[in-house]
Amino acid sequence: MKALVLSGGAGTRLRPFSYSMPKQLIPIANKPVLEYVVDNLREIGISEIGIIVGDRANEISDVLGDGSALGVAITYIPQDAPLGLAHCVKIARPFLGDDDFVMYLGDNMLIEGISEIADEFAAVRPSAQVVVYKVEDPRAFGVAEVDENSRVTRLVEKPQEPRSDLAMIGVYFFTPLIHQAVDAIEPSWRGELEITDALQWLVTHERDVRARIYSGFWKDTGKVEDVLECNREVLMRLRTDIQGIVDEESTLIGEVVVEEGARVVRSCIVGPAIIGAGTLVEESIVGPYTAIGADCRITEAGVSDSIVLSGAFVHNVSGIETSLIGRKARVGSAKQHRLVVGDDAHVEVAA
């Protein structure tokens, strides 16, 4: 089995960050979302991964390389324009060949992994298997209607009057029959080849399409609040590991990671929290559910329930919470703030 990871989207809901980095590289607990995706795929025995990339291809390849450091082999597949998920399958055909494959949206976090779902697909081997999640409002999703045996009877894209609460969440298992379905469909009103239409073609032609409910933590990291929620969930699984320097005047409470080259000086870190390599935390309080990236400076500050990206400088700020601070950003203030600060931004707010 191979994998096809889709990483060409623009990430408009994550602006200003998606102006300066692909949304799939946003770090969760100091690791890019795409690395979690690769980890999940490697855990189910996949070693060959094709990644669909758009105009940010170089940034993605700079982080993942050829995949060897992550234990996989990566092939980059360029997509000139966002023409739909089924179009991604179409252009990836030379890479996929006649193998079964899993298609995985590169901005999705499934923290408990997909091993059980992969085992079920291998055992039953339907023509296609979609991973679904019960949601309160299915109108924003592709929705699967299923029978009592979990066979899909109908698929509807963003229905106004949904007859099911099972939303497709961006992980699909396919046999090579999907290529026939993709070749048979026409572009939608959006001008895109929709994977929902290809799946519906299989259903209409009485092929076996199954739905598997995902019961673990899932989130599409398309919005800042979703990124922060994922960060909390990952950090809750943290275990203390002190590789850097923590001076005698500092206090660590709970599960805390201090990476190599980091220094904690006259400060208090309340876990779960992670302090990135080369970062200085001095005369500061870092509260729970906080990830501080590499080579940051946090001085005379208080930060909690936040993500601070690499190279940022936060000084003389009390009470920053539920915030996302970009790479090499500079933030100085004496007031409490919830901040969304893009890369290289400079924010000063007077008391």
Side-chain angles (χ1 to χ4, degrees), residues 291-320:
I292 309 293
D295 301 316
C296 294
R297 290 179 62 200
I298 313 295
T299 62
E300 300 177 36
V303 184
S304 67
D305 193 15
S306 296
I307 297 174
V308 181
L309 275 64
S310 61
F313 176 35
V314 181
H315 172 68
N316 190 29
V317 185
S318 61
I320 287 182

Side-chain angles (χ1 to χ4, degrees), residues 22 26 31 80 101 107 174 211 265 299:
I26 290 285
K31 187 164 81 171
D80 294 336
F101 68 98
D107 56 359
F174 292 124
V265 179
T299 62

Side-chain angles (χ1 to χ4, degrees), residues 37-264:
V37 171
V38 171
D39 288 347
N40 283 352
L41 294 171
R42 188 182 61 250
E43 285 173 4
I44 64 172
I46 290 177
S47 59
E48 295 180 74
I49 300 175
I51 300 185
I52 300 289
V53 289
D55 56 6
R56 314 295 286 273
N58 290 341
E59 294 169 77
I60 291 172
S61 63
D62 284 348
V63 171
L64 299 183
D66 63 2
S68 57
L70 301 173
V72 297
I74 292 176
T75 299
Y76 294 98
I77 303 167
Q79 186 184 37
D80 294 336
L83 297 175
L85 304 191
H87 181 259
C88 294
V89 174
K90 196 178 191 73
I91 64 175
R93 183 69 193 272
F95 166 77
L96 297 168
D98 291 323
D99 291 317
D100 292 352
F101 68 98
V102 55
M103 184 169 77
Y104 201 129
L105 270 60
D107 56 359
N108 275 234
M109 289 284 290
L110 289 82
I111 291 179
E112 283 79 14
I114 57 173
S115 295
E116 290 185 6
I117 301 172
D119 290 344
E120 183 177 300
F121 174 76
V124 178
R125 200 169 179 264
S127 300
Q129 180 169 285
V130 298
V131 181
V132 295
Y133 194 87
K134 289 190 175 184
V135 298
E136 290 185 6
D137 186 1
R139 292 175 297 176
F141 299 89
V143 173
E145 299 173 12
V146 303
D147 66 16
E148 64 277 6
N149 297 312
S150 297
R151 285 188 171 88
V152 175
T153 59
R154 185 168 175 253
L155 294 133
V156 186
E157 186 67 28
K158 299 180 180 177
Q160 289 305 302
E161 297 182 2
R163 299 192 297 188
S164 165
D165 62 355
L166 299 178
M168 294 186 289
I169 61 172
V171 179
Y172 311 81
F173 288 82
F174 292 124
T175 64
L177 189 60
I178 191 62
H179 299 298
Q180 183 179 347
V182 168
D183 289 342
I185 64 173
E186 298 292 333
S188 68
W189 63 271
R190 299 190 297 180
E192 298 184 4
L193 287 176
E194 309 282 1
I195 200 65
T196 305
D197 291 344
L199 287 162
Q200 183 60 51
W201 187 93
L202 293 175
V203 171
T204 301
H205 288 77
E206 300 182 345
R207 301 296 184 170
D208 186 12
V209 178
R210 303 287 182 104
R212 175 62 150 79
I213 296 175
Y214 188 71
S215 57
F217 177 88
W218 161 77
K219 202 59 103 170
D220 167 3
T221 58
K223 297 183 291 186
V224 169
E225 54 266 34
D226 296 330
V227 170
L228 291 172
E229 186 175 352
C230 288
N231 192 61
R232 294 181 202 112
E233 287 288 333
V234 173
L235 288 176
M236 281 194 290
R237 294 158 172 77
L238 207 63
R239 294 294 176 264
T240 294
D241 184 14
I242 310 301
Q243 300 293 325
I245 296 172
V246 180
D247 75 358
E248 294 182 353
E249 298 179 65
S250 295
T251 303
L252 306 184
I253 301 171
E255 304 292 343
V256 176
V257 170
V258 180
E259 295 183 344
E260 186 175 357
R263 292 185 297 141
V264 179

